[in-house]
Amino acid sequence: MADLSNQVENLNIDGNASSYVPPHLRNSSRRPRNDGEGSSFNNKGSFFGRGRGGGFSSNRGGRGGGSGGGFRPAGTGRWINGKHVPTERNEKLELQLFGATGDPNFQSSGINFDNYDDIPVEASGENVPEPVTEFTSPPLDELLLENIKFAHFVKPTPVQKYSIPIVANKRDLMACAQTGSGKTGGFLFPVLSESFFTGPSEIPEAARSSYMRKAFPTAVVLAPTRELATQIFDEAKKFTYRSWVRPTVVYGGSDVGSQMRDLDRGCDLLVATPGRLNDLLERGKISLAKVKYLVLDEADRMLDMGFEPQIRNIVEGCDMPGVDQRQTLMFSATFPVDIQHLARDFLSDYIFLSVGRVGSTSENITQRVLYVEDEDKKSALLDLLSASSGGLTLIFVETKRMADQLTDFLIMQNFRATAIHGDRTQSERERALGSFKTGKADLLVATAVAARGLDIPNVTHVINYDLPGDVDDYVHRIGRTGRAGNTGLATAFLNRGNKNVVKGLIEILSEANQEVPSFLNDLSRESAFGSRGGRGGGGFSNNRSFGTRDYRKQGTGSFGASRGGGGSLGGSFRGGGNSGSSWGGGRSSNWDSFGSAGGNSWW
DNA sequence: AAAAAAG
């Protein structure tokens, strides 16, 4: 690998820093479209050049065989002669990316680092690599480790403990984990670490000199919503700091031209929503031929949203390397049959990781359920809001129309409210989220677009104005508060129209030691059957805490029988006083080694 | 059923 990239790099010898010609100007008389870009590169030339003796006099100047162009934003390092050469530190940029790096109280991601050891994890598959317990180098790349520290991540979450060695051991991963389990780091850390070690892929000379520059990302991350893609991209910016890897994000709803120009500036880690990626693939703007790492985030949600054909086109219908030529990581909250099929087709001999439902037992969140008829909801809402004592309040409704209507109503009542839903333009959505995050608007009315995956700090109250049809969605929604070990309040309006969630709701409230109002029990008796009951997709009534399991364990799969009772799960770890911790035993593939989830879970 | 996502 390293030898190849050496050869590629040595093809182009471009003189020293002062006479450097960006790759996109070589062999052509084209001028940069934007003189600002050119000059800003020059300004930074000396900055980049200081790294190692002589700057980059004997390499092609760009980022090795990477997809990058001549202009590299501040903070982007390079790959020279088979070696990773990070840029020097840049205080201004660090402040931008990480906030106050010196401030120990600064928390960038809403994670309570002390509590998550109690989250139970099951790992299964052939030869599950031993999980790590700390962020260390090795196995992590040193630069990445430094960035992780800058971002104030002090300890790996359960997902990360497993995913780091799994990727390092060249294995595929199917992880059933919710938002808040440190998923993003779960794939960014190992993928970036490996990328920092191995460097960029060689890209075809023809592609470099073609009339239209083509991006050849090394890693591709697919996410269901634009906001989630943006969020992943923002994280990626932190962890790629100073490295040769340049992250890029593409999604629909915003100008494709500017996204294409951004791709021209370098695209090593691509975060994308499926629609826009397909668009850019059709335009020939992106090639997947050099993809080493493929990540599908919230895969179940992407299938729910009907993305399967688009995802299959991306993975199977273009020039993406086959299952054995890439590493694939899939994340999904649930593991229904269609995801199992996807896993079977996209993954090879994967490790199956099931992370316990974090947060359903969280006592950080006070949950209240009020019986409110539809026509009384507005006034009930006003009551709640008048009792509110500052902080941000997130209000969930079921329809886009209701989101607009309710927002108008609240504004009429002199509340600082804004709305986020799929019928708003992308810039409206971004502005809404922005003003909510900064507190300019302290009420955000949202549809399902904001239910999962979005990390908004400081939400003190989540109101389910309309309850979702699915209790899992409820859990996700209330999880927007009570983050980072803070306390939060969750209020739900319920009436006879919500019968289908009554049972599940009772279960969740009881698990979290919350008061179960008597009308809920009454309703539950009324609809003794016909409801979807609890949660967890698999019908593992004796262990519903995981709702997900490795289906390969059933029947006579390659390792089904070898596990000794692989088909029958032990009793619920939630109620039982099991001994041992998730990690302490070190037996990563032992079904019985999980401690009690006992209320210390985090979101 | 609604929402999301490519226009």
Side-chain angles (χ1 to χ4, degrees), chain A residues 40 196 222 273 297 314 387 402-403:
Chain A
S40 81
F196 290 1
L222 295 178
T273 51
D297 199 9
I314 290 165
M402 180 55 87

Side-chain angles (χ1 to χ4, degrees), chain A residues 361-544:
Chain A
T361 58
S362 172
E363 290 164 349
N364 291 340
I365 303 171
T366 306
Q367 300 177 56
R368 293 186 306 191
V369 182
L370 308 175
Y371 191 93
V372 184
E373 297 293 356
D374 286 339
E375 59 269 28
D376 300 328
K377 283 184 175 177
K378 277 200 173 88
S379 66
L381 180 62
L382 291 181
D383 290 345
L384 283 181
L385 294 178
S386 63
S388 157
S389 55
L392 302 179
T393 299
L394 187 51
I395 303 165
F396 282 106
V397 295
E398 271 308 89
T399 64
K400 298 182 271 198
R401 238 183 84 195
M402 180 55 87
D404 281 333
Q405 199 189 321
L406 193 59
T407 308
D408 286 345
F409 170 76
L410 289 168
I411 290 169
M412 294 287 276
Q413 304 287 325
N414 286 320
F415 286 101
R416 290 175 291 135
T418 181
I420 184 165
H421 62 68
D423 272 356
R424 302 202 79 190
T425 67
Q426 192 54 29
S427 64
E428 283 171 334
R429 281 160 62 161
E430 280 161 16
R431 209 175 320 129
L433 204 56
S435 52
F436 187 59
K437 278 186 174 177
T438 59
K440 220 170 92 186
D442 56 356
L443 300 181
L444 179 66
V445 184
T447 58
V449 70
R452 294 187 183 205
L454 289 191
D455 192 16
I456 307 164
N458 306 321
V459 175
T460 51
H461 195 177
V462 171
I463 299 174
N464 275 287
Y465 189 89
D466 298 318
L467 271 163
D470 183 313
V471 271
D472 281 311
D473 285 329
Y474 170 81
V475 171
H476 276 287
R477 289 179 179 190
I478 67 169
R480 302 307 100 203
T481 186
R483 299 176 84 87
N486 299 313
T487 53
L489 179 63
T491 312
F493 294 164
L494 181 140
N495 57 44
R496 285 177 191 281
N498 305 111
K499 272 188 180 174
N500 50 340
V501 290
V502 167
K503 275 208 165 66
L505 210 51
I506 291 176
E507 200 179 309
I508 284 165
L509 292 174
S510 325
E511 278 178 9
N513 290 324
Q514 302 290 309
E515 194 187 329
V516 180
S518 54
F519 71 83
L520 262 187
N521 288 319
D522 295 345
L523 277 175
S524 156
R525 275 189 289 274
E526 268 178 45
S527 51
F529 64 98
S531 93
R532 304 215 295 116
R535 36 207 191 70
F540 314 110
S541 53
N542 58 344
N543 190 356
R544 49 190 347 139

Side-chain angles (χ1 to χ4, degrees), chain A residues 39-84:
Chain A
S39 58
S40 81
F41 174 81
N42 288 335
N43 289 341
K44 288 173 181 104
S46 57
F47 171 72
F48 287 129
R50 265 180 288 148
R52 294 168 73 80
F56 35 89
S57 55
S58 62
N59 69 82
R60 57 176 277 258
R63 285 168 308 112
S67 54
F71 172 77
R72 290 173 306 112
T76 311
R78 58 184 59 232
W79 187 264
I80 301 173
N81 297 328
K83 275 181 114 168
H84 196 189

Side-chain angles (χ1 to χ4, degrees), chain A residues 96-250:
Chain A
Q96 240 179 60
L97 289 175
F98 306 110
T101 26
D103 177 3
N105 294 318
F106 179 84
Q107 259 195 1
S108 61
S109 58
I111 287 178
N112 183 333
F113 293 103
D114 299 322
N115 278 343
Y116 53 74
D117 267 356
D118 291 322
I119 298 173
V121 174
E122 300 171 353
S124 59
E126 306 270 13
N127 302 318
V128 178
E130 205 60 30
V132 300
T133 54
E134 304 289 334
F135 289 130
T136 51
S137 174
L140 290 173
D141 177 88
E142 270 180 47
L143 177 66
L144 179 72
L145 195 62
E146 212 173 297
N147 291 340
I148 288 174
K149 287 189 176 138
F150 279 152
H152 300 264
F153 282 63
V154 296
K155 225 178 145 199
T157 70
V159 189
Q160 292 159 12
K161 286 176 181 180
Y162 277 94
S163 68
I164 289 168
I166 283 170
V167 179
N169 282 280
K170 308 282 173 226
R171 298 293 298 275
D172 283 355
L173 171 66
M174 173 71 233
C176 290
Q178 321 266 342
T179 305
S181 52
K183 258 188 320 160
T184 310
F187 56 79
L188 285 182
F189 295 164
V191 164
L192 290 175
S193 184
E194 295 304 303
S195 303
F196 290 1
F197 284 134
T198 54
S201 305
E202 168 196 0
I203 63 163
E205 181 63 38
R208 258 185 272 158
S209 53
S210 80
Y211 76 102
M212 181 169 71
R213 308 252 307 286
K214 209 167 189 166
F216 286 84
T218 308
V220 169
V221 180
L222 295 178
T225 65
R226 301 161 184 176
E227 279 76 14
L228 188 58
T230 306
Q231 194 174 289
I232 294 167
F233 171 67
D234 287 339
E235 290 297 297
K237 277 195 285 196
K238 298 178 192 172
F239 302 115
T240 56
Y241 172 54
R242 297 177 65 205
S243 78
W244 70 266
V245 176
R246 183 175 193 267
T248 315
V249 65
V250 297

